[in-house]
Amino acid sequence: MRVPFNRVAASEVDSARSTLAALAVSVGDGLAAGAERPGLRALLDQHAAAVRDSLDAGLRPLTLAALAGYAEGVLAGASEQGWQPTGAPIDWSDPDWLPIRLLAVHALARALDVA
């Protein structure tokens, strides 16, 4: 059975929420760091704008499922390039591209989930 284009199956919502919850655990402390560091906040805003542009958020509503899929794609691409998660805390004083991008996805998802 196909799901109508304007609806998402409950299992897909659960999967998206699971992906975003894992993302929150790995980068969530970056939001607090961004509140304390204007430079980090500016980077976060730039990355969030790029994520929204990538997902055509100006043309269609941004969804948790789209953000989860985006995060999974970014992580898959990083893995293909040899990146492996370390499990170590992220140094938000000088973060690489990947943690900032994932933090932007987390921030966008958090804003959607609260609204």
Side-chain angles (χ1 to χ4, degrees), residues 18-89:
S18 176
T19 296
L20 294 170
L23 181 62
V25 169
S26 66
V27 299
D29 61 334
L31 293 178
E36 297 173 3
R37 295 185 175 99
L40 178 58
R41 182 66 204 178
L43 278 174
L44 178 57
D45 289 345
Q46 291 170 359
H47 278 262
V51 170
R52 283 191 299 270
D53 288 348
S54 293
L55 296 174
D56 291 328
L59 302 175
R60 57 182 167 212
L62 195 57
T63 65
L64 293 177
L67 289 168
Y70 183 90
E72 289 172 343
V74 167
L75 287 169
S79 179
E80 288 173 7
Q81 298 297 316
W83 175 83
Q84 293 295 318
T86 63

Side-chain angles (χ1 to χ4, degrees), residues 1 3-4 7-15 65:
M1 177 178 147
V3 176
R7 295 196 181 170
V8 179
S11 62
E12 290 178 28
V13 171
D14 291 342
S15 176

